[in-house]
Amino acid sequence: MASPPRHHRTSWVHAAFLLALCCCRGGGAAPASPSPLPSPKVPAVIVFGDSTVDTGNNNAINTMLKSNFPPYGRDMAGGPTGRFCNGRLPPDFISETLGLPPLVPAYLDPAYGIKDFARGVCFASAGTGLDNATAGVLSVIPLWKEVEYFKEYQRRLRRHVGRAAARRIVSDALYIVSIGTNDFLENYFLFVTGRFVQFTVPEFEDFLVAQAEWFLGEIHRLGARRVTFAGLSPIGCLPLERTLNVLRGGCIEEYNQVARDYNVKVQDMLRRLCASRPGFKVAYINVYQNMLNLIQNPATLGLENVEEGCCATGKFEMSYLCNDIPKTCEDPSKYFFWDSFHPTEKVNNFFAKETLDLCYKEGLL
C-alpha cells in the first residue's frame, strides 16, 4: 500500500471549498490578442481538456463546478460564458490570431451549431482529468466522453460539408490539449478516489502518461495531425496550494517536483509517439517554465500580485465561492490569477502567444 502524500489535502481550507461548492449557488478592457503571424490556413481550432480551456461545456451538465455567473466573465462583452476567467482563454486568442472567430464555442452550448463548430469547437470540461476517476469527483465530463463527442462532431461535420471537406478540416485543424492538474490536486492528493492506495506517486504519473498516450493515439486515429499538449504548471504555486502550505509558507515544493517529474515522462512519451506515427506533430507546451518565469519576473508583464487570485480573498475561492464578498479586485490586469486556480485574461493572452510561437518554431503552422 502506498504511503499517504506528505501534504494531506483534507485540510479545513480545501474541505470547506468542496463543501461550499456542493451546497451553495450564486454567484476593463480586454488585452489585445497576439499579433497575427503569417501561416498556412488553419480551418479550425479544436480543444480538449479541463477548466484551463473549457469555454462553457459545464454549463450544460449536472455539476456544481460552473462559472457562468459574475464576477466570472466581467471583461467579456456579453458577460459570463462559463469560462473560468474574467475574460477569454488561450484557445480564444489563438483562434482569433489565426483568422478564425475570437471565441471558440463549447460543443454543448445550444447557442451554437455545426456551422460554428466547423471553424472551432471545444470539448473540454472543467474538473476533468486523464484519469476517469477524476471526472467523478465533481461529476464532470470524462476524457473518453470528450473523444466520443469528437466522433459525433465528425459525423455532423460530414453531413454539413461533405466527407472530403470534413476530412480536410479535421486533419488541418490545430488541436489544443490542456489537462492533468486535477488528477493530482482534486484526485490523488485529495484522497477521495483511493488512487493514493493503488499507486505510488511515480506509478500514478506513469498511469496518467499512459492515459495521455491512449488519448493522443485515439485522436490521431480519428484524423488529428497538429496537436499542442500542455505539461503541468508549478501546481504547488497555485493560490489554494499556498494557502494550504500555511506552516511553511510559499509554494508546495513537493507538488512542483511531482509536476516536473510528470512533465519529463510526458515529453518522453510524446517523442516515442510521434516517432511511431509519421506526419503526426505534437508540440509540448512548457507551461511550467512559462508560468514560473512570470511568477519570478512579474514586471515583464506588468503584474503586481502573483500569489493570490483577483476574486474574493484570492486565497482559496473558485466557482460559487468566487464572488464579490469581499470585493473582487478592481484591476485584474495586475494579477496572475483570477481565482485560486486559474489565470487572468491577460496571462491567458500571454500563454496563447507562447503557444503560437512554439507552433511556428516546431512546424505545426
Side-chain angles (χ1 to χ4, degrees), residues 221-245:
R221 183 179 65 80
L222 293 168
R225 293 297 179 267
R226 300 190 285 186
V227 181
T228 70
F229 191 93
L232 289 185
S233 70
I235 56 179
C237 293
L238 299 180
L240 176 59
E241 307 316 313
R242 290 177 182 268
T243 300
L244 294 174
N245 199 24

Side-chain angles (χ1 to χ4, degrees), residues 174-204:
L174 179 64
Y175 292 77
I176 298 172
V177 184
S178 180
I179 196 168
T181 298
N182 297 317
D183 290 303
F184 291 101
L185 299 186
E186 303 304 331
N187 177 346
Y188 193 89
F189 292 135
L190 190 58
F191 298 170
V192 295
T193 65
R195 289 304 198 196
F196 77 98
V197 176
Q198 296 174 266
F199 301 104
T200 64
V201 171
E203 288 170 347
F204 191 59

Side-chain angles (χ1 to χ4, degrees), residues 254-309:
E254 289 91 335
Y255 289 3
N256 287 349
Q257 184 60 56
V258 167
R260 291 192 295 269
D261 293 343
Y262 166 85
N263 288 342
V264 169
K265 294 177 180 180
V266 164
Q267 291 175 80
D268 289 342
M269 177 272 290
L270 294 179
R271 282 189 286 268
R272 294 194 309 271
L273 188 70
C274 291
S276 67
R277 290 169 169 77
F280 189 36
K281 296 181 178 179
V282 183
Y284 170 78
I285 308 301
N286 194 346
V287 180
Y288 191 101
Q289 195 59 51
N290 291 342
M291 178 171 162
L292 198 62
N293 287 343
L294 285 183
I295 289 177
Q296 294 176 341
N297 305 285
T300 60
L301 201 62
L303 303 177
E304 297 178 3
N305 191 325
V306 296
E307 297 183 0
E308 300 168 329

Side-chain angles (χ1 to χ4, degrees), residues 9-31:
R9 297 277 298 172
T10 51
S11 68
W12 69 268
V13 175
H14 202 275
F17 162 71
L18 283 182
L19 177 62
L21 188 61
C22 292
C23 67
C24 59
R25 305 185 67 91

